[in-house]
Amino acid sequence: MENCEQIYLQKTLSCLESKLKDCKARLSLARKHLKKGMAEYNDEYGDLSRGGDLSNAFAHLGAIEENLLDLEREERKIATQIKSPYFARIDFKPNGKKKTQQIYIGIGNVLDGEKLYVADWRAPVSSMYYDFNVGEASFKIGEDEYRGNIELKRQYKIENSSLISYFDTELTINDEILQDILSKNVSTKMKQIVSSIQKEQNTLVRNGNLENVLVQGVAGSGKTSIALHRAAYLLYRYKKQIKSNDICIISPNNIFSSYISEVLPQLGEDNLVETTFAQIARAELKKPIQPRENMLDEIATNPTQKMLNEISYKSSYEYLDDLLRFLKGAFIETYSPKTLSFVVSENMVGEKETISFSAEQTKELFFKTFKGYDLYERINKIAWQYAMYFTERRHYNKEQNRGLKERFKKILYKFLPIRDIERVFEIFMAREGFEIPKGKSVAYMDKGAYLVIKHFIYGFDHDFSAKYLIIDEMQDFTPVDIYAFKKLWHCPMIVLGDVNQCIEKNVTDEYLGLTADFLGCKLIELKKTYRSTKQIALFANRLVGLNDIEFVNRNGQEPYVIETAGQSKAILNLIENECGEYDHIAIICKCNKEARELYKQLKTLLDCKLLQEPEDYEHRVLIATCATAKGIEFDAVIVPNATRENYHNTIDKNIIYVSATRALHKLFFVANDTPCHFLQSLEHKKV
């Protein structure tokens, strides 16, 4: 049996190596063509630029470059496949057929003529590997369903083109494979999970309809991996309609963006368009935005009741309703047009021909005809109507008409007494009984409101269009932010988050339902965690009262608390004696000030790095805040200053929960005074 498997692997590798050789030859030829085309273009540029048509030359070069990029992508994918061409096999006997089909499954098809050595994991037939145990199974291609029996399920471990091991299983994904994957050390980049996708995850990944989905998943349930593998699936299924640059992912921060940057390339696809909501707001408002980390610092270190009340209000649908009611009511009612009169000609005796638009005419259009539109749309429509009237009377061409419309827009905006976005926001907040802090930057909690006001008055300056949208860490966004998303994008989306990881506010099931309805999303909950050991998961779940969470039964060391007068030495001992085999260790602090102070104390004792930029994550020992560690995982986590004085309220409990759920294998708390009461259930060791 093993000999047969070795032979099949060698045949598959031989096929791939032949394809790689052919791809390299085509790539070399394409590069020569591009070089030759560039030389010819440069030689002819002088003639072409003097009245010649440059479009054909540009199109020719563009086609060569596009072909070159496709070949480079193909080369990368084949090289990846050679290292591990497949990870599973199913033997499937279709109903009514005598012959059993052996289907090997990998990250991409391996085809030699009519011989299919490996099926892409995204192919319809491959779905049976994820969805069925040995026995009756089926798959669909379009509306057609194919039924039969899975007679064998086999899983492989292939590394660097060598077959390490394989074994048969009756289960969907054998626990031994999953345990092996989960027990490994963390890498500096998130890995693809095609060999271990679980049934409930596969349902989300392969959802054939481009419908809106909101995923509430507990920490470690694989939310981000699901979203990225869904993107890869869509690129496979809709390859003619959707390209990688048509899919946009909204990440929590640049460190997280870097962390997930290798998943799609590992699957043979190009990376998506990535940005953060703060970057979008900064581009539209042309003002700096307060980082979320700074906002969390404020509420973690000095949470006044006034501040918490304001955050609670701004995180509610009531706040969104109040803002929209203000914009569409009191604010828009201030629009006060005047009569516009333009002299278009004057004869020899001084008689003037004028075109006039009365104040009443503009009011009628603004407040009645175009009543259902945002302010900028009303002005656009009135400006276009007035410009067209001029065009018909004066026989203007299209270009003159376009310029005239822009002039009318400027005039019509002048009838709005207050047009500054910040001033409009100040007035709204004053009406609601709040003040806004003066400064050059927009407060983190206010960026969504600024964008909503900007869109209502002026529309957006940039085109953020996409064909599919991924919004991660949904719990960090407010209803006003989500309303802005709806104005920014008009495409299907998958929205992912965990309400239990919301630090600054409590999010209820009712809020989840409202958000799903507001976005037109189907709400799906994932209650199984794959990240942490059983011991870490149980502690974290008890902390926030989660009693119905499932977890992989991967045993490990119980988390514990160290009580010590020498915190720095205790941390050093933990890293040297308890974490020696681990590649990535995080010391997660409550706030930036605490992280900076601890870094000063530890940098002379051990090689560590303050996590501030994406490249910092390459370091083995990192000092981070809860906010900068968002969405990332580590082999071991140490939470310092875990004292009653430092961690005592609900916000502090949320910070501990998020910090604890970053850990895969080991979790420690260090207290240089009385430990906080959230850790009462853990063993305490005095050092």
Side-chain angles (χ1 to χ4, degrees), residues 16-28 71 74 78:
L16 283 167
E17 284 159 2
S18 175
K19 287 184 176 297
L20 184 61
K21 185 178 178 181
D22 175 65
C23 181
K24 285 181 180 292
R26 287 183 287 130
L27 197 51
S28 177
L71 287 170
E74 183 182 345
I78 296 171

Side-chain angles (χ1 to χ4, degrees), residues 61-310:
L61 286 175
I64 295 173
E65 285 186 327
E66 190 170 339
N67 180 50
L68 187 63
L69 290 171
D70 287 342
L71 287 170
E72 287 173 344
R73 189 183 305 114
E74 183 182 345
E75 182 188 37
R76 289 194 301 270
K77 183 167 185 175
I78 296 171
T80 301
Q81 286 177 286
I82 286 174
K83 292 178 184 176
S84 183
Y86 48 86
F87 54 83
R89 165 185 154 190
I90 54 173
D91 289 1
F92 178 67
K93 187 177 181 181
N95 288 347
K97 302 285 184 180
K98 291 183 178 179
K99 192 174 180 182
T100 297
Q101 301 171 355
Q102 290 183 351
I103 303 159
Y104 287 78
I105 301 168
I107 65 165
N109 288 329
V110 180
L111 189 66
D112 187 10
E114 293 187 0
K115 171 65 176 175
L116 180 67
Y117 282 97
V118 181
D120 193 300
W121 68 277
R122 298 165 289 187
V125 70
S126 302
S127 65
M128 291 189 293
Y129 166 71
Y130 301 101
D131 289 339
F132 295 98
N133 300 332
V134 169
E136 290 185 4
S138 64
F139 66 96
K140 291 181 91 172
I141 300 178
E143 295 300 314
D144 298 323
E145 186 174 30
Y146 299 85
R147 292 182 170 275
N149 268 274
I150 293 176
E151 298 178 343
L152 177 141
K153 293 190 72 170
R154 182 166 289 172
Q155 294 172 280
Y156 301 87
K157 187 175 181 180
I158 300 173
E159 295 177 358
N160 296 320
S161 307
S162 295
L163 180 60
I164 308 299
S165 64
Y166 68 87
F167 55 86
D168 299 342
T169 175
E170 293 187 358
L171 303 176
T172 308
I173 305 294
N174 190 280
D175 193 52
E176 188 176 332
I177 284 276
L178 193 57
Q179 292 278 11
D180 181 57
I181 291 167
L182 296 175
S183 64
K184 291 185 183 303
N185 285 0
V186 174
S187 65
T188 57
K189 304 288 183 184
M190 181 184 280
K191 297 291 185 184
Q192 51 91 350
I193 59 166
V194 287
S195 64
S196 63
I197 293 173
Q198 302 296 290
K199 186 174 181 178
E200 74 275 12
Q201 297 172 330
N202 189 51
T203 302
L204 280 166
V205 168
R206 289 176 185 271
N207 185 353
N209 301 318
L210 284 171
E211 62 181 353
N212 294 341
V213 179
L214 190 157
V215 181
Q216 157 56 31
V218 296
S221 57
K223 297 180 293 295
T224 305
S225 286
I226 289 168
L228 294 171
H229 285 72
R230 171 137 183 82
Y233 175 77
L234 294 176
L235 291 170
Y236 173 86
R237 175 161 180 172
Y238 299 99
K239 59 185 71 169
K240 291 184 179 178
Q241 298 104 306
I242 300 177
K243 303 297 180 188
S244 57
N245 57 6
D246 293 324
I247 302 177
C248 179
I249 180 167
I250 308 300
S251 296
N253 54 52
N254 291 332
I255 294 169
F256 181 78
S257 296
S258 175
Y259 177 61
I260 65 173
S261 64
E262 289 299 314
V263 174
L264 283 166
Q266 288 167 13
L267 297 170
E269 301 290 353
D270 287 339
N271 263 323
L272 315 176
V273 176
E274 289 185 51
T275 187
T276 65
F277 190 35
Q279 287 172 330
I280 290 170
R282 191 158 53 241
E284 277 296 320
L285 302 173
K286 299 173 180 61
K287 289 172 73 75
I289 309 297
Q290 179 195 31
R292 175 171 170 77
E293 292 84 350
N294 293 6
M295 184 273 289
L296 290 178
D297 259 20
E298 288 180 18
I299 65 166
T301 55
N302 187 28
T304 64
Q305 193 57 50
K306 180 182 176 184
M307 183 193 301
L308 295 176
N309 289 345
E310 188 170 336

Side-chain angles (χ1 to χ4, degrees), residues 178 182 190 193 196-202 204-205 215-227 472 496-501 524-532 537 541 549-552 631 633 657 661-662:
L178 193 57
L182 296 175
M190 181 184 280
I193 59 166
S196 63
I197 293 173
Q198 302 296 290
K199 186 174 181 178
E200 74 275 12
Q201 297 172 330
N202 189 51
L204 280 166
V205 168
V215 181
Q216 157 56 31
V218 296
S221 57
K223 297 180 293 295
T224 305
S225 286
I226 289 168
D472 210 349
L496 311 110
D498 177 16
V499 295
N500 304 297
Q501 293 185 62
I524 294 174
E525 295 191 58
L526 299 176
K527 295 189 175 183
K528 188 169 184 177
T529 178
Y530 300 93
R531 178 182 293 147
S532 306
N541 293 343
I549 304 304
E550 300 175 57
F551 46 79
V552 177
E633 53 190 29
Y657 174 76
T661 54
R662 302 306 94 207

